[in-house]
């Protein structure tokens, strides 16, 4: 009886492992798809940068159509609007009948539902926790995926990635280990985001120093901070991500209002012109792409070349 139990257990484990391997391979078991649903923008950012026309894609749909300036080439009648991360447009996905559906951080929760609706499609979850792995690691994984799906652009992908990686490492080597606070403007109150947040790229990849362990939140929405606390921390550098303006929130706190606050004006960062506005599209909408990575590099360079 004991031998039978052991044998059944081994068979169960073997089948389970085989199933897991099949799922892992299935995600990459496609080359040069012609119909693709982009439910994350970082992958589309990369393809746009290397030359979308080099792929074999004939029909495509995307989230947030027309909302990111540097993806303007896709704001035309040939590209299907698939809605937003809060409300996918399934009618349009049905019309597209995609061979490949690419998910990201904001859409990974739809995976099971999409698998049920589109059983013939390959569904790839391109979610890479940028708050943990950092920017370079995320780009590396995106390049690996795209190289397997579009092998004809592999060298282009790798060359551009290596250039970006070298540029980031070069900046990190320029002694920018200075006290830095990342502020996100969302709603009516400023929030801080720490080393293990989506804006932790500034600390992990570029080498800035966390200004306050008390205000070092990893929460995706950040940690509310008072203006008095900002002055008390008194960082050397303040990077501001104006989420409100990026997503079109009306009557919300914006960058100019933040700069005009009495307590902010008393900080060393303000006195030395070290309060910088980050590129909202790059840091909030498409982080993990090539175009966005270069925009991030440019944002960091504003501090170095000031």
């Amino acid at each position: 009886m004991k031998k039978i139990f052991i044998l059944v257990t081994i068979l169960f484990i073997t089948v389970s492992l085989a199933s897991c391997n099949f799922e892992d391979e299935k995600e990459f078991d496609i080359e040069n798809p012609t119909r693709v649903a982009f439910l994350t923008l970082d992958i589309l950012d990369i393809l746009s940068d290397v030359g979308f026309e080099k792929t074999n894609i004939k029909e495509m749909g995307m989230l947030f159509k027309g909302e990111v300036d540097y993806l303007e080439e896709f704001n035309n009648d040939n590209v299907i609007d698939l809605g937003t991360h809060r409300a996918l447009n399934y009618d349009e996905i049905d019309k597209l009948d995609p061979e490949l559906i690419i998910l990201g951080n904001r859409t990974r929760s739809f995976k099971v539902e999409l698998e049920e609706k589109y059983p013939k499609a390959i569904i790839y979850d391109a979610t890479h926790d940028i708050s943990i792995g950092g920017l370079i690691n995320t780009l590396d994984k995106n390049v690996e995926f795209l190289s397997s799906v579009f092998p004809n652009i592999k060298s282009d992908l790798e060359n551009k990635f290596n250039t970006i990686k070298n540029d980031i490492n070069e900046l990190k080597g320029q002694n920018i280990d200075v006290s830095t606070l990342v502020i996100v403007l969302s709603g009516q109150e400023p929030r801080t985001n720490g080393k293990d947040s989506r804006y932790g790229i500034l600390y992990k990849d570029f080498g800035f120093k966390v200004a306050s362990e008390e205000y070092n939140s990893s929460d995706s929405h950040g940690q509310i901070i008072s203006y008095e606390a900002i002055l008390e921390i008194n960082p050397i550098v303040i990077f501001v991500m104006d989420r409100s303006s990026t997503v079109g929130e009306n009557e919300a706190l914006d960058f100019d209002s933040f700069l005009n606050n009495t307590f902010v004006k008393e900080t060393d960062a303000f006195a030395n012109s070290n309060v910088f506005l980050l590129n909202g599209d790059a840091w909030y909408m498409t982080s993990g792409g090539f175009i966005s990575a270069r925009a991030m590099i440019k944002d960091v360079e504003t501090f170095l070349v000031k």
Side-chain angles (χ1 to χ4, degrees), residues 212-238:
S212 169
E213 290 300 331
E214 181 181 355
Y215 291 95
N216 188 27
S217 174
S218 61
D219 187 274
S220 60
H221 298 291
Q223 176 182 359
I224 293 174
I225 185 172
S226 68
Y227 289 104
E228 292 88 344
I230 293 174
L231 177 57
E232 183 178 345
I233 295 169
N234 199 21
I236 294 175
V237 178
I238 299 176

Side-chain angles (χ1 to χ4, degrees), residues 114-295:
L114 288 165
E115 286 174 336
E116 292 175 353
K117 285 180 174 290
Y118 310 102
K120 294 182 180 180
I122 299 295
I123 300 178
Y124 176 70
D125 184 358
T127 298
H128 308 300
D129 197 337
I130 204 166
S131 63
I132 296 176
L135 178 59
I136 291 177
N137 182 61
T138 297
L139 290 173
D140 188 24
K141 291 182 181 298
N142 284 343
V143 166
E144 179 185 4
F145 163 64
L146 288 172
S147 295
S148 70
V149 177
F150 303 103
N152 59 307
I153 61 171
K154 181 178 180 180
S155 60
D156 293 332
L157 290 164
E158 291 177 344
N159 289 338
K160 283 181 175 286
F161 168 61
N162 287 329
T163 298
I164 290 170
K165 180 170 65 174
N166 291 337
D167 288 345
I168 291 173
N169 288 332
E170 183 178 338
L171 287 176
K172 190 172 185 178
Q174 293 189 34
N175 193 28
I176 53 179
D177 181 23
V178 293
S179 170
T180 302
L181 195 64
V182 178
I183 297 291
V184 176
L185 306 181
S186 182
Q188 297 298 326
E189 298 174 295
R191 297 170 179 266
T192 60
N193 280 256
K195 190 172 184 177
D196 292 324
S197 73
R198 71 176 69 186
Y199 307 106
I201 294 168
L202 285 161
Y203 304 114
K204 293 180 178 178
D205 288 282
F206 291 106
F208 288 94
K209 181 181 178 181
V210 174
S212 169
E213 290 300 331
E214 181 181 355
Y215 291 95
N216 188 27
S217 174
S218 61
D219 187 274
S220 60
H221 298 291
Q223 176 182 359
I224 293 174
I225 185 172
S226 68
Y227 289 104
E228 292 88 344
I230 293 174
L231 177 57
E232 183 178 345
I233 295 169
N234 199 21
I236 294 175
V237 178
I238 299 176
F239 284 109
V240 180
M241 221 307 293
D242 189 349
R243 177 189 174 278
S244 299
S245 296
T246 301
V247 301
E249 283 185 354
N250 296 321
E251 299 180 3
L253 178 65
D254 60 17
F255 183 59
D256 289 337
S257 299
F258 177 80
L259 279 181
N260 286 323
N261 180 271
T262 302
F263 293 101
V264 172
K265 287 183 175 181
E266 293 181 21
T267 63
D268 288 343
F270 184 90
N272 293 300
S273 300
N274 281 337
V275 182
F276 303 101
L277 179 65
L278 297 174
N279 183 311
D281 283 344
W283 291 88
Y284 187 74
M285 298 293 289
T286 63
S287 56
F290 286 170
I291 303 173
S292 62
R294 286 198 297 274

Side-chain angles (χ1 to χ4, degrees), residues 45 57-58 75 83-84 103 115 161-162 305-306:
D45 168 316
I57 298 173
K58 306 300 181 186
N75 189 21
T84 72
L103 306 177
E115 286 174 336
F161 168 61
N162 287 329
V305 302
K306 180 181 67 67

Side-chain angles (χ1 to χ4, degrees), residues 94-113:
D94 288 345
K95 293 176 185 177
L96 178 61
D97 187 24
E99 298 169 89
L100 174 64
I101 300 173
I102 307 174
L103 306 177
N105 288 8
R106 292 184 173 97
T107 51
R108 64 183 308 183
S109 61
F110 292 100
K111 185 173 184 180
V112 173
E113 188 173 354

Side-chain angles (χ1 to χ4, degrees), residues 66-111:
E67 294 189 24
V68 176
D69 289 344
Y70 53 74
L71 295 180
E72 186 179 1
E73 68 171 296
F74 303 108
N75 189 21
N76 60 69
D77 294 338
N78 294 322
V79 176
I80 300 172
D81 187 346
L82 301 182
T84 72
H85 66 296
R86 300 186 188 280
L88 297 184
N89 190 331
Y90 283 108
D91 289 339
E92 294 299 328
I93 299 177
D94 288 345
K95 293 176 185 177
L96 178 61
D97 187 24
E99 298 169 89
L100 174 64
I101 300 173
I102 307 174
L103 306 177
N105 288 8
R106 292 184 173 97
T107 51
R108 64 183 308 183
S109 61
F110 292 100
K111 185 173 184 180

